[in-house]
Amino acid sequence: MVLFSAVAMRAEEEIHNIQNIFEPTSTPAEGILEIAWVVLTICAGIFVVVAGLMVYAIIRFRAKKDDDGSEPAQVYGSNQIEMAWTVIPLLIVLVLVFVTARKTITIQNMPFPEGTLEVNIIGHQWWWEVEYPQYGFITANEIHIPVSEGDIKRPTIINLESADVIHSFWVPKLGGKRDVVPNYPNQIWYEPDETGIYLGNCAEFCGTQHANMQIRVVVQTPEDFEAWLKNQQTPPREDASVATGRRMFESLACISCHAIGEKGANNGFGPDLTHLMSRQTIGAGVADTNYDDIHQWLKDPDSLKPGCYMPDMKLTDDQLKHLTEYLLTLH
Ligand code: CUA
């Protein structure tokens, strides 16, 4: 019951659904906003000078009533002016390069204490595999991490890999965008100081369902996070009332792509479903974890996520009913 109430509580948490770099709630994202302000200020200055000179030229040198039609003095090159418009932009670009590089290097080389939480994320067309190597379980699309409170920092290191094509992992309020490139492990870290659900998305076009490769980061209090960890580590529930559905899951082809506990292959073809109902969505954010949506997903995945790799299994009404009922017990 404690676990169920933890799940229910989560649904009421604030959803940070506006993906806004100007409202950072995590240390790396705050660093990025600092650079953004420097860049925006310099660019605003350039805009004011250029637009101001243009307006001045338009007014000062407009056609006048007593114009005799003769040409003004023609100027062919000026060493001073050319020097100025070469050197000033060069200095501006150098300042931008140094400010950005310094901040980026500080963020990337942050030292972390031994035992810092690590999450391995593997991008797939079109969902995210999420592994907690220190705790030995795998989930999908929703990443739970603890909140930092005041001086007590609880950073999370996120290791990124791709199983197929180039993806990009981006939750703007928590940190920068990081490309997820096949055979090139990448890393990012978060240190959020506000609980809630943070939305993000794949930020590199990766095929038909790129737009539906959503990310949910659930930032929890240490207690809620521990409860979630504990639930994820428990074996799948064996509810006798859904034994028919469970047998169908095993005898039909479901387990060749999806794992539920020890059963089925964790081969990365499809999301691990052991605690499916502890997640809010299916299909990386396209539908909810309720009876109707799961039923529809099993019946015709393409109707919810056109082009996805979950096949239409041509299930009978009876199979759909039993499978859906079984999946709904996987809290
Ligand atoms: Cu993955 Cu776009």
Side-chain angles (χ1 to χ4, degrees):
M1 266 337 270
V2 174
L3 296 170
F4 287 133
S5 68
V7 170
M9 241 163 57
R10 214 191 61 196
E12 289 158 21
E13 276 171 8
E14 189 193 348
I15 297 191
H16 298 262
N17 56 359
I18 294 167
Q19 301 179 25
N20 187 353
I21 69 154
F22 293 100
E23 287 175 12
T25 53
S26 168
T27 313
E30 281 155 12
I32 287 165
L33 181 58
E34 277 172 38
I35 309 174
W37 279 126
V38 173
V39 174
L40 283 174
T41 309
I42 291 176
C43 290
I46 294 171
F47 176 78
V48 168
V49 170
V50 171
L53 285 173
M54 236 165 79
V55 170
Y56 171 78
I58 290 168
I59 295 170
R60 174 77 178 71
F61 301 108
R62 71 190 187 283
K64 295 183 186 81
K65 274 194 196 112
D66 57 348
D67 264 353
D68 59 4
S70 64
E71 282 195 347
Q74 301 296 297
V75 178
Y76 297 97
S78 153
N79 284 344
Q80 285 99 324
I81 294 176
E82 282 185 23
M83 196 60 108
W85 76 45
T86 307
V87 172
I88 296 172
L90 190 70
L91 289 177
I92 294 172
V93 170
L94 283 177
V95 167
L96 291 178
V97 167
F98 285 126
V99 169
T100 311
R102 205 179 66 166
K103 186 55 92 181
T104 311
I105 291 167
T106 318
I107 292 174
Q108 281 183 357
N109 294 351
M110 198 74 151
F112 293 108
E114 209 45 39
T116 298
L117 176 66
E118 284 197 48
V119 182
N120 299 338
I121 294 183
I122 302 163
H124 293 262
Q125 284 175 314
W126 292 275
W127 59 284
W128 304 95
E129 186 177 346
V130 182
E131 187 194 2
Y132 286 71
Q134 292 139 320
Y135 299 92
F137 67 84
I138 293 175
T139 172
N141 301 323
E142 295 179 17
I143 301 136
H144 288 239
I145 59 175
V147 72
S148 294
E149 295 159 307
D151 290 339
I152 306 170
K153 300 294 183 197
R154 297 188 187 87
T156 302
I157 298 170
I158 296 172
N159 302 307
L160 296 160
E161 275 182 71
S162 169
D164 36 47
V165 299
I166 301 177
H167 304 275
S168 190
F169 190 84
W170 196 23
V171 184
K173 280 187 152 192
L174 298 180
K177 189 189 291 174
R178 193 68 88 245
D179 281 356
V180 184
V181 183
N183 299 316
Y184 186 86
N186 226 335
Q187 209 179 56
I188 195 169
W189 61 277
Y190 292 156
E191 195 180 72
D193 49 28
E194 239 180 83
T195 57
I197 297 163
Y198 294 81
L199 301 191
N201 214 318
C202 178
E204 180 68 48
F205 182 72
C206 55
T208 349
Q209 283 298 330
H210 157 71
N212 281 321
M213 199 166 159
Q214 297 168 30
I215 306 159
R216 281 177 138 72
V217 178
V218 184
V219 178
Q220 297 178 296
T221 62
E223 301 75 43
D224 286 354
F225 178 65
E226 283 299 321
W228 179 82
L229 275 183
K230 220 171 149 197
N231 186 43
Q232 297 296 311
Q233 289 169 284
T234 54
R237 286 170 179 73
E238 299 270 334
D239 189 336
S241 68
V242 290
T244 316
R246 184 160 53 241
R247 274 198 303 277
M248 283 176 177
F249 186 87
E250 287 162 21
S251 60
L252 296 164
C254 312
I255 53 166
S256 47
C257 293
H258 298 279
I260 292 185
E262 300 287 297
K263 296 201 181 94
N266 251 324
N267 51 18
F269 281 127
D272 183 293
L273 302 177
T274 312
H275 296 283
L276 173 69
M277 295 306 291
S278 70
R279 313 205 278 259
Q280 297 186 319
T281 70
I282 52 172
V286 292
D288 294 332
T289 38
N290 59 38
Y291 186 94
D292 289 345
D293 284 7
I294 291 175
H295 188 275
Q296 183 60 30
W297 179 257
L298 296 176
K299 190 176 170 193
D300 183 6
D302 254 31
S303 67
L304 294 172
K305 197 168 181 174
C308 75
Y309 292 131
M310 164 88 179
D312 179 352
M313 304 292 289
K314 311 276 183 230
L315 301 167
T316 64
D317 286 349
D318 190 52
Q319 287 169 331
L320 284 170
K321 177 179 164 289
H322 284 296
L323 277 172
T324 308
E325 282 171 359
Y326 167 50
L327 293 175
L328 284 172
T329 63
L330 300 173
H331 285 281

